[in-house]
Amino acid sequence: MTPTSTQATAATNDESGYVVTPPPVVSLPIVGSDLRFPVRRVYCVGRNYAAHAVEMGHDPDKEPPFFFQKNPDNLVVGEDTFEYPPASSDVHHEIEMVVALAKGGRDIPVENALDHVYGYAVALDMTRRDLQGEAKKLGRPWEVGKAFEKSAPCTPLVPASEIGHPAKGAVWLKVNGETRQNGDLEQLLWKVPEMISILSKLFTLQPGDVIMTGTPSGVGPVARGDHLHGHVDGVGDLRVTVA
């Protein structure tokens, strides 16, 4: 691959043409296929279930959708453990459905938005709540709370061509067998087509973009040794142990 003129600012003897070794392409496996889905960006929708907005101290009736990002390499598939991250003593679980885009664009109409979806997965938006809370108080970005290494354990993608576009169905998370989060996709304040359409007015969406669609109420802390089991009807199950 050849760098653009804006990227290549120093001479190099590396055969790749880069001054350092390029990072690997982050990708997700696909159920029933040897092919993989390359990830470009990970968008996240904040407080997209009314009950979760309330438990976080907000009024969902007055709040327009808002977004933040995790890093592509925060996604982890196939590891059965989640390493408790440093710099925090209050790490929370947030179970979510993931939407993966096969097509991009700008100003995508709501009625055409689902045509851009490749498939769906189940993921955890693990959150260093203490660091996020401090960032909120100071009016700072959330990355230290949200976008740390391996903060998004994820299942393989299931193509929409096989399961359709889930609009209702249970979303839950159990910790050590006890249900902590329990919601339904039809409770999403901003539905998947609306999320895609609104995001496309803020960013130029591209194939490979991923959207984490928000979490039901019941988020809470995890501890080392906890077994987390997340589920989205029709999409899959995710199991990890906190180490």
Side-chain angles (χ1 to χ4, degrees):
M1 185 167 69
T2 303
T4 67
S5 60
T6 56
Q7 295 169 320
T9 57
T12 175
N13 292 324
D14 189 288
E15 292 181 356
S16 70
Y18 293 98
V19 297
V20 297
T21 302
V25 174
V26 175
S27 63
L28 298 175
I30 299 166
V31 173
S33 174
D34 292 331
L35 300 177
R36 299 181 69 89
F37 180 90
V39 179
R40 191 185 79 113
R41 292 180 181 172
V42 180
Y43 297 102
C44 305
V45 187
R47 298 193 285 264
N48 202 22
Y49 286 79
H52 176 56
V54 171
E55 75 178 353
M56 300 304 288
H58 299 269
D59 182 351
D61 293 332
K62 295 181 179 178
E63 190 170 56
F66 72 95
F67 304 93
F68 59 92
Q69 291 188 32
K70 292 172 91 80
N71 299 310
D73 63 359
N74 295 157
L75 292 166
V76 178
V77 177
E79 295 189 9
D80 57 8
T81 59
F82 166 78
E83 298 287 340
Y84 202 98
S88 176
S89 59
D90 190 25
V91 177
H92 282 207
H93 54 75
E94 297 190 6
I95 191 69
E96 311 202 1
M97 184 175 76
V98 170
V99 180
L101 300 186
K103 296 191 294 184
R106 297 183 62 181
D107 299 324
I108 298 170
V110 171
E111 57 269 26
N112 297 336
L114 290 181
D115 295 339
H116 294 67
V117 175
Y118 174 79
Y120 299 88
V122 182
L124 280 161
D125 171 17
M126 300 302 291
T127 301
R128 292 192 284 208
R129 192 72 76 205
D130 43 3
L131 300 190
Q132 183 198 26
E134 188 68 17
K136 286 180 178 178
K137 285 192 296 186
L138 298 173
R140 292 175 177 170
W142 290 5
E143 279 80 2
V144 295
K146 289 287 190 178
F148 56 92
E149 280 68 25
K150 299 186 176 183
S151 59
C154 186
T155 66
L157 285 172
V158 183
S161 59
E162 295 186 8
I163 63 169
H165 299 284
K168 61 181 180 180
V171 181
W172 52 255
L173 179 86
K174 297 180 180 179
V175 179
N176 302 324
E178 177 185 343
T179 301
R180 297 285 181 85
Q181 294 186 256
N182 194 10
D184 194 289
L185 293 174
E186 63 182 359
Q187 297 169 340
L188 285 167
L189 295 172
W190 300 94
K191 310 303 184 189
V192 171
E194 294 171 317
M195 293 179 218
I196 294 170
S197 181
I198 294 169
L199 267 173
S200 74
K201 292 177 171 57
L202 300 169
F203 304 95
T204 301
L205 298 179
Q206 298 285 351
D209 287 345
V210 163
I211 304 170
M212 299 182 72
T213 57
T215 196
S217 62
V219 300
V222 299
R224 289 181 175 85
D226 281 347
H227 301 286
L228 311 184
H229 178 191
H231 171 88
V232 178
D233 273 0
V235 180
D237 290 80
L238 174 66
R239 293 177 175 84
V240 294
T241 298
V242 181

